[in-house]
Amino acid sequence: MAEPPAGDPETEPTTLGSTDDTGFLYRNRAALPGIHPGPSTPELDTASIRGAPVPRGGLSFRHYSDVETLDQGGMGTILHAIDTDLGRQVAIKVLRSDAWGMRELRRRFLREARVTGQLQHPGIPPIHELSTTEAGEHFFAMELVTGKNLARILRERAAEGDEAIVSARRELLGWFLRVCEAVAYAHSRGVVHRDLKPANIMIGDFGKVYVLDWGLALILDEAAGEGRVEDPTGGLATTEVHSSPRLTLHGTVLGTPTYMAPEQVGGRIWAIGPATDVYQLGVILYEILTLRVPFVGQTTDGILAAVEGGGAEPPSRRAPHLGIPASLDAVVEKAMAHRPQDRYPGVDALRADIEAFLGSRELSVVSYRPWGLFLLWVRRNRLASAFAAAGVAIAVALGAVIVWRLDRERAAALDHARAEEARREASERRGLVDRDL
């Protein structure tokens, strides 16, 4: 992996797939035409730093105590701390010490805080404070989210076996719906996440679902209207903002290769929008269903080439042993369409189809035959179907009893008629004998 050029603090980050849950690394992309090169850093061993004291002696906070390291990514370090003013636990994000000198990374760090701070939704952790340490370094404090990220949950499900995977499907799809709700809200505010993946989805201890890490978010409208997120380029970050209204460099690859949309891989910045998040949600849905990602490769370039080539194998064929319904194949295919205009028109449409699947209703991407519609009705109306089936069974039983009784009565009447006929014939024979005598 190439080292970044010396003295170049303004290189662009590229998020790569990694073995840890952060996934945010840097990599030289100069090999691809039109791609801005980025610096390289080694993968991080987050397990070794979890719970460790803050490594920098000069990093201190005015009203936060008991500061410990929770996690570390390619750009920032997440700390656990106690807000001494309010007596509550918080998470604090600070730039990694080796990123302090990178002006572009500082700008992105501040932008993440300001964008996230304007997204007020139950599925997006709120920002409590954006400030500086006593040494003058920027940090932001946010809600401390406890639980597991979806990437870890999927790994645990995979280790439990096929039966556990299938039985957990409805719960996983329920969490997926909550993710869609948060992303749809962000879109309504003019914000595209651009880096949706299981590692950025947290399932709280009490089932609450959060979408994390808005550091690569794209603001669609520089001139913010009412109810839309403002472009956070003023104040502390005024001198550090690139001239592009989309706050990204033309032709730059941003995202995690395994989950990137084709337009991201190709550096087609102008094509990135809500449909990009729809694609990434489709990849997450694929992984929920199969516990595998749709595109793999020996190298990052191999993964990117596979993504840009498209044509992912349907989930039901990728994992035939998991009994994945064809209707969910159709949902994934629609969400992951190669061209943005061929995908769902919005996250709400994708969410509606998953809700329809869970509710045994018709999906917009499936053509149904009459028998299929009847089966959906039966699944949707299980109680009514059970009563109907019981009614049919009772009717059949009563019918059988009635037919049996009618047969018995008919046989008895026939026996009676035969007996009467025999008595009549016997009487006639006795009359003939008497006459002869």
Side-chain angles (χ1 to χ4, degrees):
M1 192 176 287
E3 293 294 328
D8 182 13
E10 296 191 60
T11 48
E12 279 283 319
T14 299
T15 307
L16 303 184
S18 65
T19 55
D20 68 3
D21 287 344
T22 59
F24 195 90
L25 306 177
Y26 303 93
R27 185 177 187 275
N28 192 326
R29 297 292 303 133
L32 292 182
I35 301 302
H36 187 86
S40 172
T41 62
E43 259 186 38
L44 299 164
D45 180 10
T46 59
S48 64
I49 65 173
R50 196 177 304 275
V54 178
R56 296 187 292 274
L59 184 62
S60 59
F61 305 90
R62 292 176 180 85
H63 62 94
Y64 296 99
S65 65
D66 301 331
V67 181
E68 292 183 345
T69 302
L70 279 179
D71 210 344
Q72 193 166 20
M75 180 175 67
T77 299
I78 305 297
L79 310 172
H80 170 274
I82 302 296
D83 183 338
T84 56
D85 287 345
L86 296 174
R88 64 180 173 184
Q89 300 182 73
V90 298
I92 295 177
K93 187 169 185 177
V94 295
L95 271 176
R96 286 181 54 183
S97 58
D98 55 0
W100 285 359
M102 298 182 183
R103 191 173 68 180
E104 175 64 21
L105 294 188
R106 290 205 312 273
R107 180 188 68 79
R108 288 189 179 277
F109 178 83
L110 294 172
R111 182 169 172 271
E112 176 184 359
R114 295 183 175 205
V115 169
T116 309
Q118 295 179 68
L119 295 175
Q120 300 180 34
H121 186 274
I124 302 173
I127 301 295
H128 299 319
E129 179 183 13
L130 171 61
S131 186
T132 57
T133 67
E134 293 181 355
E137 292 298 329
H138 299 300
F139 74 90
F140 60 87
M142 55 187 171
E143 177 184 347
L144 178 65
V145 178
T146 58
K148 299 178 182 178
N149 68 37
L150 184 58
R152 179 179 173 183
I153 291 173
L154 292 178
R155 287 197 300 270
E156 291 175 351
R157 293 291 185 273
E160 292 171 359
D162 294 351
E163 186 175 343
I165 295 169
V166 175
S167 64
R169 182 177 295 158
R170 291 186 69 85
E171 181 181 36
L172 291 169
L173 290 177
W175 292 339
F176 181 79
L177 289 178
R178 304 291 81 76
V179 173
C180 289
E181 290 171 1
V183 175
Y185 164 79
H187 290 179
S188 75
R189 300 293 308 279
V191 175
V192 177
H193 190 286
R194 284 202 296 183
D195 195 27
L196 294 169
K197 56 187 176 182
N200 284 340
I201 297 168
M202 181 70 77
I203 311 301
D205 290 336
F206 299 99
K208 195 171 181 181
V209 180
Y210 298 91
V211 179
L212 309 177
D213 199 351
W214 295 81
L216 297 187
L218 175 71
I219 298 176
L220 297 176
D221 198 346
E222 184 181 19
E226 182 179 356
R228 296 176 72 83
V229 167
E230 296 181 0
D231 195 336
T233 60
L236 297 172
T238 298
T239 62
E240 303 178 341
V241 177
H242 193 269
S243 59
S244 168
R246 291 177 179 265
L247 298 183
T248 189
L249 301 178
H250 179 78
T252 299
V253 172
L254 291 171
T256 304
T258 303
Y259 302 92
M260 287 170 67
E263 59 269 21
Q264 290 177 290
V265 172
R268 298 185 292 275
I269 305 301
W270 61 89
I272 295 176
T276 303
D277 281 353
V278 169
Y279 181 96
Q280 293 182 340
L281 288 169
V283 177
I284 294 171
L285 178 59
Y286 191 107
E287 191 169 358
I288 284 174
L289 296 174
T290 66
L291 299 184
R292 303 174 185 177
V293 292
F295 299 108
V296 295
Q298 296 297 320
T299 64
T300 298
D301 286 343
I303 295 173
L304 295 176
V307 170
E308 196 156 29
E313 188 176 20
S316 62
R317 289 216 300 266
R318 187 70 179 279
H321 55 291
L322 296 181
I324 298 168
S327 56
L328 290 180
D329 276 349
V331 172
V332 170
E333 181 182 2
K334 181 70 173 177
M336 290 183 59
H338 195 271
R339 300 192 308 167
Q341 61 268 33
D342 293 334
R343 298 169 198 158
Y344 282 99
V347 176
D348 281 335
L350 169 58
R351 182 185 64 183
D353 266 355
I354 296 299
E355 287 177 337
F357 172 81
L358 292 174
S360 298
R361 300 190 304 273
E362 297 177 52
L363 278 65
S364 67
V365 292
V366 178
S367 297
Y368 294 93
R369 295 180 178 178
W371 177 247
L373 293 174
F374 173 73
L375 290 179
L376 284 179
W377 182 91
V378 170
R379 292 171 190 159
R380 187 168 61 250
N381 300 276
R382 294 184 185 277
L383 184 59
S385 300
F387 278 121
V392 170
I394 292 172
V396 170
L398 287 175
V401 170
I402 292 171
V403 169
W404 176 76
R405 291 192 62 179
L406 288 175
D407 285 343
R408 288 285 304 271
E409 290 175 359
R410 189 180 303 113
L414 183 59
D415 290 343
H416 179 73
R418 287 174 177 169
E420 287 295 323
E421 179 66 20
R423 282 195 296 271
R424 186 181 61 79
E425 290 178 353
S427 177
E428 289 178 353
R429 281 196 298 273
R430 282 196 302 271
L432 290 174
V433 171
D434 291 342
R435 221 177 15 253
D436 290 340
L437 293 174

